[in-house]
Amino acid sequence: MALVVQKFGGTSVADADRMREVADHVKRTRSRGDQVVLVVSAMGKETDELLRLADEVNGEPPGREMDMLITAGERKSIALMCMALHAAGVPADSFTGSQAGFETDNNHRNAKILSVDPHRVRDSVDKDRVAVVAGAQGMSGENNVTFLGRGGSDTTAVALAHGLGADACELYTDVSGVFTTDPRVCPGAKRMESISFDELLEMTAVGCPKPVMRSVEVARAFGVPLHVRSAFTWEPGTWVVEEDPDMERAIIKGIVPDTSQAKVTLSGVQDQPGLAAKVFRTLAEASVNVDMIVQNVSENGRTDISFTVPLDDLEVATSTCETLAETLNFAGVMADPDLGRVSVVGAGMASNPGVAATMFETLAEIDVNIEMIATSPIRISCVVSEADVDRATVALHAAYGLD
Ligand code: ASP
Ligand code: MG
């Protein structure tokens, strides 16, 4: 008999029919002799709707009230889910984040979990009932309701699986697993049977949208095996584990396209100690998330520094740098929003030469110009023009034999 935590995202519990289907699935799981703890998100677009309402009432709502509002979405889901389970003949109890023992910091809208003491959930399981826990929420030391941030339900599920010593954490969603690349971009994309935590973390860091990176980090830290799978077809999905058993075979596991990159270039920056420090500290203080950084060879004591940021951060990054240009006396700031990035990820590249060469050759063959390159031990990323991202992805997918 295994204990599984099953997490269902917004689309999976979007209406009454979906709730009933999930209830049936839980019933099937239990009939195999397994025990189930459920974590659910807010229904469909509920969270967006609550955010919109708040914005209508107050453009800058207090964090405490914001969290009180958003967490209502998941609270609605747990009650309805329990009703659906009762209707299916499955005994179930709902728990808010605080009832389930999630203690967080007081950082509203993006609270971090400090500890989980799921004894009430455990009691429910011990009585052979299904505990249904509200995702993405907890309670701060000040006894305020807190929200763990967008996509926080995945993190709730993983932390709960760890706290309960569950055998696995299943993340049910509207895609059937982790794919070798984005199927919307490349028709040859295939679902992976398994992937390692490290590889998936690299993929999420460079634009793979699901599951959310934070949940993978928590899963890796606590060694919780994840199973990313479909709540619509119910077929087996992708296992995320410590050591991918397939690792010896595939050198490259995935190609990740990302069209949300932008580049900032600072020209004529004085080449002397402390300048980069000043620039990037100021950007960090403005909450700009800098990724790749390239500094050129200097001429006459001046150099260019280019860096990439998410497109969403471009405006803040540019205005921050323009202000700095005056005080630090550099020539100019150029912003390029039309950039993308394509990354190849695979633990096998650490021990196999030629992966970078293949990537550059493949891009050269289709006449894609590389603007910047960054590597980690198991990833190579190239910044290219946004317009080239899709065909670069398709070509690389074929070049590494993933089709
Ligand atoms: N409902 C929240 C969101 O959409 C939290 C979650 O489901 O993960 O971000
Ligand atoms: Mg969600």
Side-chain angles (χ1 to χ4, degrees):
M1 187 177 68
L3 172 61
V4 270
V5 173
Q6 300 187 331
K7 177 261 168 177
F8 289 88
T11 47
S12 311
V13 293
D15 54 33
D17 282 343
R18 291 296 322 159
M19 296 256 179
R20 277 194 292 268
E21 281 204 43
V22 171
D24 285 344
H25 181 69
V26 171
K27 194 171 178 171
R28 280 199 299 277
T29 311
R30 279 166 55 97
S31 66
R32 286 200 306 265
D34 291 341
Q35 289 176 310
V36 181
V37 169
L38 277 190
V39 173
V40 288
S41 294
M43 298 167 72
K45 296 256 168 280
E46 174 99 29
T47 306
D48 292 326
E49 177 60 16
L50 293 172
L51 288 168
R52 192 192 58 74
L53 271 172
D55 188 58
E56 264 185 32
V57 174
N58 180 342
E60 278 172 50
R64 181 183 185 278
E65 306 316 324
M66 204 56 200
D67 285 9
M68 189 64 98
L69 177 72
I70 310 179
T71 52
E74 274 76 15
R75 185 161 176 159
K76 205 166 131 183
S77 291
I78 53 172
L80 289 167
M81 195 64 236
C82 279
M83 294 178 194
L85 284 163
H86 282 276
V90 178
D93 310 304
S94 63
F95 296 97
T96 64
S98 79
Q99 288 177 322
F102 279 79
E103 196 204 329
T104 72
D105 62 18
N106 205 33
N107 183 18
H108 286 293
R109 302 187 73 156
N110 203 15
K112 295 265 170 303
I113 300 170
L114 299 177
S115 65
V116 187
D117 172 12
H119 67 269
R120 293 188 65 183
V121 174
R122 168 61 68 193
D123 283 350
S124 182
V125 171
D126 288 346
K127 291 186 189 122
D128 201 29
R129 300 171 70 84
V130 173
V132 182
V133 177
Q137 54 179 254
M139 170 104 83
S140 71
E142 290 87 345
N143 286 341
N144 287 319
V145 172
T146 51
F147 179 58
L148 305 186
R150 300 311 303 264
S153 297
D154 288 8
T155 312
T156 298
V158 174
L160 196 55
H162 170 63
L164 292 166
D167 297 283
C169 179
E170 302 185 325
L171 303 175
Y172 288 85
T173 167
D174 48 6
V175 293
S176 60
V178 181
F179 282 74
T180 50
T181 192
D182 186 340
R184 289 165 303 188
V185 171
C186 178
K190 288 202 171 51
R191 178 165 46 76
M192 301 174 198
E193 268 173 39
S194 59
I195 184 171
S196 69
F197 289 126
D198 287 344
E199 288 169 318
L200 186 56
L201 273 177
E202 289 281 352
M203 287 180 65
T204 52
V206 291
C208 174
K210 275 180 188 170
V212 289
M213 185 158 167
R214 196 168 146 200
S215 68
V216 184
E217 277 167 349
V218 178
R220 176 172 68 170
F222 296 119
V224 176
L226 291 180
H227 188 182
V228 183
R229 52 187 300 189
S230 166
F232 292 81
T233 64
W234 305 108
E235 67 198 302
T238 304
W239 279 94
V240 191
V241 288
E242 193 67 52
E243 289 271 336
D244 176 11
D246 264 354
M247 201 161 83
E248 290 288 346
R249 268 182 285 147
I251 297 173
I252 297 304
K253 292 301 295 266
I255 316 291
V256 189
D258 177 10
T259 50
S260 67
Q261 294 292 302
K263 183 172 79 172
V264 179
T265 301
L266 315 178
S267 56
V269 182
Q270 291 176 60
D271 194 5
Q272 61 187 43
L275 259 127
K278 185 92 183 92
V279 169
F280 291 101
R281 170 57 63 205
T282 313
L283 286 166
E285 278 160 4
S287 295
V288 172
N289 212 341
V290 174
D291 183 26
M292 296 183 201
I293 303 171
V294 175
Q295 178 174 331
N296 281 338
V297 181
S298 65
E299 253 179 73
N300 309 323
R302 300 226 170 215
T303 183
D304 293 348
I305 301 178
S306 292
F307 56 90
T308 61
V309 293
L311 193 53
D312 290 343
D313 287 354
L314 181 61
E315 250 183 66
V316 181
T318 318
S319 62
T320 306
C321 290
E322 273 160 0
T323 315
L324 278 174
E326 287 161 28
T327 51
L328 299 181
N329 174 34
F330 51 81
V333 180
M334 275 176 301
D336 181 354
D338 299 319
L339 278 185
R341 170 176 56 191
V342 57
S343 305
V344 304
V345 176
M349 77 169 69
S351 50
N352 285 277
V355 172
T358 302
M359 181 171 198
F360 305 152
E361 280 161 12
T362 307
L363 296 178
E365 272 160 28
I366 57 167
D367 210 24
V368 167
N369 190 42
I370 303 170
E371 297 205 21
M372 289 181 179
I373 300 163
T375 63
S376 87
I378 62 169
R379 166 172 66 90
I380 306 171
S381 297
C382 291
V383 170
V384 299
S385 145
E386 186 182 313
D388 289 334
V389 168
D390 286 5
R391 54 194 197 95
T393 302
V394 172
L396 291 167
H397 198 262
Y400 290 107
L402 296 172
D403 275 347

